[in-house]
Amino acid sequence: MASPNSPPVIVVGAGLAGLSAAYAALQAGAMSVYLLEQAAKPGGNSIKASSGINGAPTRFQNAAKYGVDQSFWDDTVRSAGSRLQASVAAPIKKHRQGLISTLTDGSAAAIDFLVDLGVDLSVVAQLGGHSKPRTHRGAGKTPPGASIVTTLLAKLKEQGGDRFNLVTEAEVTKLLVATTPNSNTNTNNHQQAVTGVEYRHPSHPLTLSGPVVFATGGFGGDTHGLLAQYRPDLDGLPSTNDPRPGAHGVLTAAGARLVDMVSVQIHPTGFVDPAGPGVALKFLAAEMLRGEGGILLHAGRRVVNELETREHTSGAIMALPPAEEVGGLRQWDVQLLLDPGATEAAAGHVGFYLWKGLLQKKKVRELDETTRQTLRDYAAVVRGEKKDDLGRVAFGHWRLGVEGGDLDEEAEVCIGRVTPIVHFTMGGVVFNEQAQVLSSELGEDEKPIPGLWAAGEITGGIHGDNRLGGSSLLECVVFGRIAGEQAARAALNTAG
Ligand SMILES: Cc1cc2nc3c(=O)[nH]c(=O)nc-3n(C[C@H](O)[C@H](O)[C@H](O)COP(=O)(O)OP(=O)(O)OC[C@H]3O[C@@H](n4cnc5c(N)ncnc54)[C@H](O)[C@@H]3O)c2cc1C
């Protein structure tokens, strides 16, 4: 029986997972929701997402051309790689597969949910690792992360009214725990239950009681902290993520377990801004720049087949001697060069990068002789006169030196410095298909921590070795909604 004095649902972190949880909690009838966010503004890394969100099968996919999409689960399992396939213990495999099923089975409903709120997701693209186009974004100029986050936030404010309380600059530092009888056994066993949070905020009380959904994101931006602890080889790498400490320790202090913490996704090309080379937060130099014809140079020479996998390309760059350390960061001095053909083909992106000062225009005659010789050799490869030593066989829209034989000295190329960056962390707290945080290891008999749920990049076990592009926004919506609804039910069953 629901109590009118039931406690609020407390959601920690106002990225997409937290916003989805807050919305679901209100929909499920929670008396109130407190969304605690350490930053001055909501949105987290979610607001920066640029490619889109996965869903299958959806009405936006072209079933007539590609057939009905039944392969999302298989693609996700394949991408999870050895962490799933090599799970010798059947229960571990089952646990991972169950999380993937919840993700992929819930994907079409997640798209419908967002579209019904008013988000445009009508354009569908195929990203690397997917066997069909299934990554949804809008037709307009607003990137998908920004349009999803702003729409959801507006709906929360509009529909939640007084029941919705967003508290910014509120950093949760501790989970409050109490000892309760273990409801899973008939014995006198006792267990720790989460009863609320402790948080730092200048003008608000420091504790709040109620069921908690933790949605504080990953640790890609925790450069010298969790990243250095779990991947010392990546210590000092810049990131696309906001620089902030991972909040994982808050959960483990309450009994949560961590999994796959060494699985970190690296992107080979983040722009080093000449105006601030020591800034840890970097813009991605989108993969399509290389796809459309861009090449990578170190000291004027190519270093890798630019169309190799992210892992291979990053590895080839990181095998080179790093450039000088700037601001405690480890960076490489690699140039991304686009000829006029690649520049034209990627015009939308290039315009933005030129405006940000991340790419510069140069005439061919202004380049050093080593670079010019590399361009001559490369043009001969594109003309089909010789094989590429590095194995590149597709050249996008490259045309410099291809027609007429020699380089056009007056042609304009675009050049910018790039370096490998940390992009996504696959690992996180062990949780289950109901988004309950567990005090048991993956695959053991599940021991949910009462009063505690989690969603988004803070969780682990879904993506294994490698997250498919578009699946992290999806996990935020799918598991965020489950977590919010479960926490609301728990709150309504608690007398205030
Ligand atoms: C540049 C970029 C592009 C991307 N593009 C895509 C894409 O196209 N598709 C896709 O699926 N994924 C993409 N991703 C990944 C995806 O955006 C993230 O994995 C996902 O948004 C994480 O959402 P989240 O809600 O878990 O965390 P976040 O969005 O990072 O939100 C976590 C929030 O918690 C707050 N917080 C942290 N600790 C505390 C604390 N102790 N107390 C209170 N608040 C706290 C943070 O300030 C933050 O606001 C991209 C990521 C980046 C960086």
Side-chain angles (χ1 to χ4, degrees):
M1 172 76 176
S3 160
N5 299 318
S6 62
V9 169
I10 304 163
V11 181
V12 187
L16 182 54
L19 293 168
S20 303
Y23 190 85
L26 288 172
Q27 291 283 300
M31 292 297 159
S32 66
V33 170
Y34 276 81
L35 179 53
L36 305 181
E37 166 57 52
Q38 69 170 10
K41 284 185 185 164
N45 287 312
S46 303
I47 205 162
K48 299 192 279 188
S50 49
S51 299
I53 175 167
N54 296 335
T58 74
R59 66 192 124 137
F60 303 109
Q61 290 177 292
N62 188 342
K65 185 166 177 191
Y66 299 103
V68 176
D69 186 358
Q70 308 286 7
S71 51
F72 189 15
W73 193 88
D74 291 325
D75 289 352
T76 308
V77 165
R78 195 176 318 114
S79 182
S82 62
R83 288 207 178 272
L84 194 150
Q85 308 308 342
S87 298
V88 265
I92 298 183
K93 204 173 224 174
K94 196 162 161 249
H95 192 149
R96 289 186 188 273
Q97 288 176 337
L99 293 173
I100 293 174
S101 295
T102 305
L103 182 81
T104 56
D105 292 352
S107 66
I111 300 288
D112 284 343
F113 162 72
L114 294 172
V115 170
D116 290 349
L117 287 181
V119 183
D120 174 16
L121 293 174
S122 56
V123 178
V124 186
Q126 181 166 354
L127 303 188
H130 292 272
S131 59
K132 285 188 197 293
R134 64 170 72 98
T135 307
H136 296 63
R137 65 174 199 276
K141 281 195 170 161
T142 312
S147 74
I148 293 172
V149 164
T150 49
T151 304
L152 203 40
L153 194 58
K155 292 288 172 193
L156 273 166
K157 289 178 179 167
E158 185 188 308
Q159 297 174 12
D162 293 346
R163 291 161 64 217
F164 175 61
N165 308 279
L166 170 64
V167 189
T168 53
E169 295 181 65
E171 183 194 358
V172 170
T173 51
K174 195 176 165 187
L175 288 169
L176 304 175
V177 289
T179 305
T180 61
N182 189 343
S183 53
N184 292 329
T185 65
N186 294 324
T187 64
N188 279 338
N189 274 349
H190 284 72
Q191 64 185 348
Q192 299 278 84
V194 168
T195 58
V197 299
E198 198 171 288
Y199 67 102
R200 272 199 285 259
H201 187 273
S203 60
H204 285 71
L206 287 173
T207 61
L208 200 54
S209 296
V212 178
V213 177
F214 229 80
T216 51
F219 60 95
D222 194 1
T223 311
H224 300 297
L226 286 180
L227 190 65
Q229 181 184 337
Y230 286 97
R231 288 292 302 267
D233 57 318
L234 303 180
D235 184 12
L237 237 59
S239 177
T240 52
N241 291 202
D242 293 337
R244 59 169 137 91
H248 302 57
V250 177
L251 290 165
T252 52
R257 303 299 179 99
L258 299 175
V259 66
D260 296 346
M261 292 293 277
V262 297
S263 292
V264 174
Q265 212 168 58
I266 307 292
H267 196 288
T269 57
F271 277 118
V272 179
D273 187 343
V279 176
L281 177 62
K282 309 255 188 251
F283 273 99
L284 267 189
E287 226 128 40
M288 56 87 81
L289 296 176
R290 282 172 282 137
E292 299 292 12
I295 57 172
L296 298 173
L297 304 171
H298 179 254
R301 296 197 170 85
R302 286 180 58 236
V303 285
V304 65
N305 169 2
E306 293 82 0
L307 299 188
E308 264 286 2
T309 61
R310 284 182 183 181
E311 200 182 354
H312 182 93
T313 310
S314 307
I317 295 174
M318 290 169 74
L320 299 166
E324 80 291 352
E325 292 216 351
V326 223
L329 295 178
R330 218 150 42 97
Q331 306 188 141
W332 280 259
D333 200 354
V334 170
Q335 312 299 316
L336 171 68
L337 186 147
L338 308 181
D339 85 320
T343 302
E344 262 173 48
H349 283 68
V350 170
F352 174 75
Y353 298 138
L354 285 168
W355 175 71
K356 293 293 283 178
L358 301 169
L359 281 175
Q360 286 83 39
K361 285 187 176 172
K362 275 194 178 175
K363 300 261 189 210
V364 168
R365 65 175 152 75
E366 293 171 312
L367 302 171
D368 63 80
E369 185 45 33
T370 314
T371 304
R372 284 144 52 92
Q373 188 53 46
T374 298
L375 297 182
R376 280 185 208 106
D377 293 345
Y378 186 65
V381 171
V382 181
R383 288 198 301 268
E385 288 166 15
K386 56 180 185 176
K387 268 193 160 179
D388 181 25
D389 293 342
L390 296 164
R392 185 164 177 165
V393 290
F395 310 103
H397 294 83
W398 187 278
R399 62 164 191 256
L400 183 65
V402 175
E403 282 159 21
D406 204 8
L407 297 179
D408 174 1
E409 295 286 319
E410 292 306 313
E412 234 171 17
V413 297
C414 288
I415 294 200
R417 181 176 164 196
V418 292
T419 192
I421 41 172
V422 172
H423 189 45
F424 185 85
T425 49
M426 268 72 72
V429 291
V430 178
F431 78 142
N432 64 14
E433 292 168 48
Q434 285 76 47
Q436 293 169 297
V437 177
L438 307 180
S439 63
S440 45
E441 301 285 356
L442 199 75
E444 284 179 4
D445 279 350
E446 287 186 5
K447 290 190 199 131
I449 300 174
L452 184 60
W453 291 262
E457 203 175 330
I458 181 76
T459 64
I462 300 177
H463 306 293
D465 288 338
N466 183 48
R467 166 202 66 124
L468 280 176
S471 279
S472 33
L473 290 183
L474 176 63
E475 74 175 307
C476 290
V477 177
V478 169
F479 287 99
R481 290 176 75 202
I482 295 172
E485 194 184 324
Q486 301 280 329
R489 276 203 209 138
L492 290 169
N493 286 326
T494 311

